[in-house]
């Protein structure tokens, strides 16, 4: 399936985000036109402060743009109320963060189940899917372990399974290998590649060129705007 044949998942037009710092207005993301099709694996690469994480938070509906438009699955999310936005985010997006954000006193299985608590899917169905996902990421024998008993790579695998629980259209990863050694990072990126091959759309933020090179499309950010773009 070619890029043109895939359905459009993300479309922004003139989207920008500014912040106030005292008397200064900081342009975190300058007016941006961006399109990402279903099934793409996109890396947003750039130095700290380049705007890539701000954009990721907007794409993941964790933040609102200051202006411009953002359509996610053909819906203009910039006009949604906070409640609508929260519901849409829970149904359409899954997050993987650098710091894992697992609940320390809960098992791996219970951590994966967390997003399902806000859905109307029966717990039995959710539990079956959580078990399947943990097996798929290689943690079938670690389901009852708490985060303190898991390595960093294993914790990130739990976080990835959690992000996939509700079968979201979009996986957003913010420096997902930032706390991992090179060998573990490669394993995690292999998992992202396999998930993408199954048709899942992934947008990943990273400052690392080698990590960004694992994506099929690499967008380099500088000073809140796209500096260059490569597709392989």
């Amino acid at each position: 399936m070619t890029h043109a044949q895939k359905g459009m998942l993300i479309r922004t037009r003139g989207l920008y985000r500014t912040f106030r710092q005292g008397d200064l207005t900081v342009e975190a993301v300058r007016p941006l036109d961006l399109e990402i099709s279903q099934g793409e694996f996109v890396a947003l690469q750039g130095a700290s402060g380049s705007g890539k994480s701000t954009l990721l938070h907007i794409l993941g509906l964790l933040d609102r743009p200051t202006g411009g438009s953002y359509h996610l699955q053909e819906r203009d999310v910039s006009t949604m109320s906070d409640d609508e936005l929260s519901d849409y985010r829970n149904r359409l997006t899954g997050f993987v963060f650098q710091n894992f954000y697992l609940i320390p006193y809960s098992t791996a299985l219970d951590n994966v189940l967390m997003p399902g608590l806000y859905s109307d899917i029966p717990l039995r169905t959710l539990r079956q899917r959580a078990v399947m996902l943990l097996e798929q990421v290689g943690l079938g024998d670690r389901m009852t372990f708490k985060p303190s008993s898991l390595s960093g790579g294993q914790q990130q695998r739990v976080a990835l399974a959690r992000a996939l629980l509700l079968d979201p259209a979009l996986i957003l990863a913010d420096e997902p290998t930032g706390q991992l050694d090179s060998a573990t990072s490669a394993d995690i990126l292999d998992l992202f590649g396999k998930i993408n091959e199954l048709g899942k759309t992934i947008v990943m933020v990273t400052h690392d060129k080698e990590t960004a090179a694992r994506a099929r499309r690499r967008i380099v950010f500088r000073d809140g705007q796209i500096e260059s773009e490569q597709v392989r």
Side-chain angles (χ1 to χ4, degrees):
M1 186 177 286
T2 66
H3 179 90
Q5 289 173 315
K6 295 177 181 178
M8 194 61 62
L9 181 64
I10 287 170
R11 186 176 76 250
T12 75
R13 290 291 182 268
L15 182 140
Y16 66 95
R17 182 71 166 97
T18 59
F19 295 99
R20 294 289 295 177
Q21 288 187 351
D23 294 332
L24 295 175
T25 298
V26 178
E27 295 180 296
V29 176
R30 302 187 185 201
L32 174 71
D33 293 350
L34 177 66
E35 293 184 352
I36 297 175
S37 298
Q38 292 176 11
E40 283 201 82
F41 186 175
V42 180
L44 305 178
Q45 182 197 334
S48 179
S50 61
K52 60 188 189 303
S53 289
T54 299
L55 176 61
L56 190 80
H57 289 168
I58 292 172
L59 297 182
L61 310 181
L62 292 173
D63 189 17
R64 289 182 183 268
T66 305
S69 68
Y70 172 28
H71 285 76
L72 177 60
Q73 261 194 356
E74 303 300 328
R75 285 195 62 185
D76 185 357
V77 298
S78 57
T79 63
M80 289 184 178
S81 68
D82 288 345
D83 285 345
E84 288 175 318
L85 208 61
S86 178
D87 179 63
Y88 209 53
R89 180 175 62 243
N90 289 340
R91 288 192 292 111
L92 263 72
T93 66
F95 290 90
V96 181
F97 296 102
Q98 177 177 346
N99 294 322
F100 318 136
Y101 292 123
L102 301 179
I103 298 172
Y105 53 80
S106 293
T107 64
L109 181 60
D110 285 342
N111 267 284
V112 174
L113 284 168
M114 279 301 295
L117 299 180
Y118 306 100
S119 75
D120 54 5
I121 301 171
L123 181 58
R124 182 177 179 180
T125 302
L126 289 169
R127 185 174 290 273
Q128 289 173 340
R129 179 163 173 78
V131 168
M132 178 193 71
L133 287 167
L134 283 168
E135 289 173 345
Q136 287 180 352
V137 299
L139 293 179
D141 59 345
R142 295 287 189 274
M143 294 188 197
T144 60
F145 286 44
K146 294 180 180 178
S148 60
S149 300
L150 300 173
S151 69
Q154 289 171 336
Q155 290 185 61
Q156 195 59 295
R157 288 168 184 261
V158 174
L160 182 54
R162 177 184 61 191
L164 291 166
L165 180 70
L166 299 181
D167 195 23
L170 177 63
I171 296 292
L172 300 121
D174 195 353
E175 300 281 5
T177 61
Q179 293 210 44
L180 308 176
D181 61 45
S182 57
T184 307
S185 295
D187 290 342
I188 294 296
L189 291 170
D190 285 344
L191 274 175
F192 275 107
K194 291 174 182 176
I195 291 166
N196 176 243
E197 286 171 4
L198 294 172
K200 194 67 67 179
T201 308
I202 300 173
V203 180
M204 174 179 67
V205 155
T206 181
H207 67 277
D208 183 67
K209 289 183 179 180
E210 291 185 11
T211 300
R214 298 291 291 268
R216 298 180 186 276
R217 180 179 169 196
R218 182 167 63 120
I219 299 173
V220 179
F221 261 74
R222 184 183 178 91
D223 297 330
Q225 57 192 347
I226 294 175
E227 182 180 58
S228 63
E229 186 171 345
Q230 292 180 339
V231 179
R232 66 173 177 86

